[in-house]
Structures are given as C-alpha cells and as structure tokens.
Amino acid sequence: MASSSPDPADTSSAVAERFAVVRRRIADACRGAGRDPADVVLTAVTKTQPLEALQQALAAGQRVFGENRVQEAEAHWADVRAATPDLELRLIGPLQTNKAADAVALFDVIETLDRPKLADALAAAAEKSGRILRVLVQVNSGAEPQKAGVLPEAADNLIEYARATGLIVEGLMCIPPADEAAGPHFALLRKIARRNGLEVLSMGMSGDYETAIRFGATHVRVGSALFGERNRPETPSRG
Ligand SMILES: *Cc1c(COP(=O)(O)O)cnc(C)c1O
C-alpha cells in the first residue's frame, strides 16, 4: 500500500492505488458480512485537500465526496460541478443556520441536521430554490458535550419534526467518540434508524469503516486512507 505521508508530490497513481485498496477492503468487508458491495457507498472526504487531490480522485472514478465546510467546498467544487453532472456532494460538517442557503445551493445531501432551527432554515432555503432536499440526522451517539448531533433520546422527535418541514430524511449519521469502541455506537445508530424506517446509515471513517459495514453502514466517509494525512489538523467534531 502507498505511504500515507502528506507528500505534495504525491502522484495520481498513489491516490488511484489507495482508492483501489479501500474499495477492495469495502468489498471484502461486505462479503464477510454477507452484504452486497453495491449497497455501500464510499464517500471520499476532501476537506483540507489541494485541488490536485480532487482531480486525482475524479480520475480514479470517484464521484461521491464529503466536505466539512461550506466555503471550502465552494472553492473545491463550484467549477467541477458544472463539468461533472454525476457528482454528489455531501456536507458532513456542522452547519450554521445563516449558511443554510449556501449549503442548499451546493450540496446534494446535508448529513449534519441536528436541531429543529436548522431543519426550518434548510426547508426554507430548499423551498426558495425549488428543490427537494435530502438530509441525514446527525446523532451524538456518545453524548459528547463538544460534539455536534442530536442526543440519541431526542432523535425520534427531530426526525419527525424534519419530515414535517418537507425535508427528505434519508437516514442517520454519527461520529463515535475517538476513545471508545465504535461498534456499540454503530449498533445504536442502526437501532434508531430501524425504528424510524430509515435506510441510510453514514458511519465509519478511515479507522473503522470495515467495522461500520459489519453494523450496516450504507455510506462510509473516508479521508486520510485515500488522500494521506491532512496538513491542517482538524477533528471531525469541529467544522
Ligand atoms: C474528516 C472526517 C471524516 C474522514 O476522516 P478520516 O479519518 O480522515 O477518514 C469522516 N467524517 C467526518 C464527519 C469528518 O469530519
């Protein structure tokens, strides 16, 4: 496997090779879990990456991307978007209500809906732009005070509230605590999804996407395993 150092001279073949490795591991994890590999979507997380990394990912056939910040995502994708009709952009970082309209203009899916006020803002922005907006509800599965997401016990109510605003709630997203086994958090997310009739489970990152697939992930969000370590240090809980 290619080195994961942040080498600016990283070749496109190194990125292509990492994509091949991650895709193969996803397929293996699916087979191990008795699942169809076609049922798991790889979301390539391009936050903090230079434009050439995006180009290398596109050249490797990748079309689904995750970004943490609206402004950086605009810089990354606004031009590419027009030339790439099958691109899918997913917001995976916290969103302020005053950026809802910008987010709706750029993203296909908002994975970080975590409060009624944001549901209202997204629904209003979607209606204004004549769009039907797909969202995931982010669940703070470990009830960590510094982390975004609705608390598990409040998730059912937020899902119901968001549906009533006209948003299309496709599923749930979580980022388990860094210092705990992820499995129980993935299991909790799946349980909340099932009782609410939700199909999509966005869970699992570079360190635990195979575990997440065993627990039913439909979308895994992978950054450093594809692009190498990020230059700008950033924890996933902060946008
Ligand atoms: C950065 C980030 C990822 C990707 O993390 P890696 O460990 O680099 O794969 C996934 N999800 C969210 C919400 C993130 O912020």
Side-chain angles (χ1 to χ4, degrees):
M1 189 178 161
S3 136
S4 61
S5 66
D7 181 356
D10 215 359
T11 62
S12 57
S13 68
V15 168
E17 191 186 320
R18 290 200 201 100
F19 269 92
V21 167
V22 170
R23 286 175 182 146
R24 191 172 66 238
R25 286 191 177 174
I26 289 172
D28 287 348
C30 285
R31 272 187 287 277
R35 300 184 56 197
D36 182 348
D39 292 342
V40 176
V41 176
L42 170 61
T43 301
V45 178
T46 41
K47 67 182 183 208
T48 78
Q49 297 299 334
L51 290 178
E52 65 242 5
L54 279 52
Q55 289 304 329
Q56 289 161 359
L58 287 164
Q62 183 66 25
R63 290 296 180 271
V64 182
F65 294 93
E67 289 278 357
N68 266 58
R69 300 177 180 194
V70 176
Q71 228 176 336
E72 184 183 36
E74 278 165 355
H76 270 167
W77 297 108
D79 294 342
V80 180
R81 168 121 259 178
T84 317
D86 55 346
L87 196 69
E88 180 172 290
L89 296 181
R90 308 177 69 94
L91 179 65
I92 61 171
L95 180 61
Q96 296 168 341
T97 24
N98 63 5
K99 298 238 179 78
D102 291 342
V104 168
L106 184 67
F107 288 97
D108 298 285
V109 181
I110 309 286
E111 296 203 5
T112 51
L113 174 59
D114 63 356
R115 55 200 191 277
K117 230 183 134 177
L118 182 57
D120 290 340
L122 288 171
E127 191 180 342
K128 206 167 169 193
S129 61
R131 269 192 64 191
I132 288 171
L133 185 64
R134 300 151 59 197
V135 302
L136 306 186
V137 167
Q138 181 178 356
V139 179
N140 186 355
S141 61
E144 296 172 279
Q146 83 285 8
K147 202 168 266 180
V150 65
L151 291 173
E153 59 268 27
D156 295 359
N157 278 342
L158 180 59
I159 293 162
E160 194 186 331
Y161 185 93
R163 282 173 164 157
T165 67
L167 295 170
I168 305 298
V169 183
E170 292 189 331
L172 305 177
M173 179 272 223
C174 77
I175 308 166
D179 57 354
E180 286 180 29
H185 295 271
F186 297 154
L188 173 63
L189 203 69
R190 180 175 59 186
K191 188 173 141 199
I192 298 170
R194 286 211 173 136
R195 70 170 179 242
N196 286 282
L198 296 170
E199 303 269 321
V200 172
L201 287 172
S202 172
M203 54 191 200
M205 315 196 301
S206 289
D208 55 16
Y209 63 91
E210 288 149 303
T211 305
I213 287 169
R214 281 204 298 281
F215 282 91
T218 62
H219 291 66
V220 291
R221 308 178 309 267
V222 181
S224 45
L226 295 169
F227 300 108
E229 295 302 321
R230 283 177 288 277
N231 293 322
R232 161 155 58 92
E234 182 170 22
T235 67
S237 58
R238 292 279 161 191

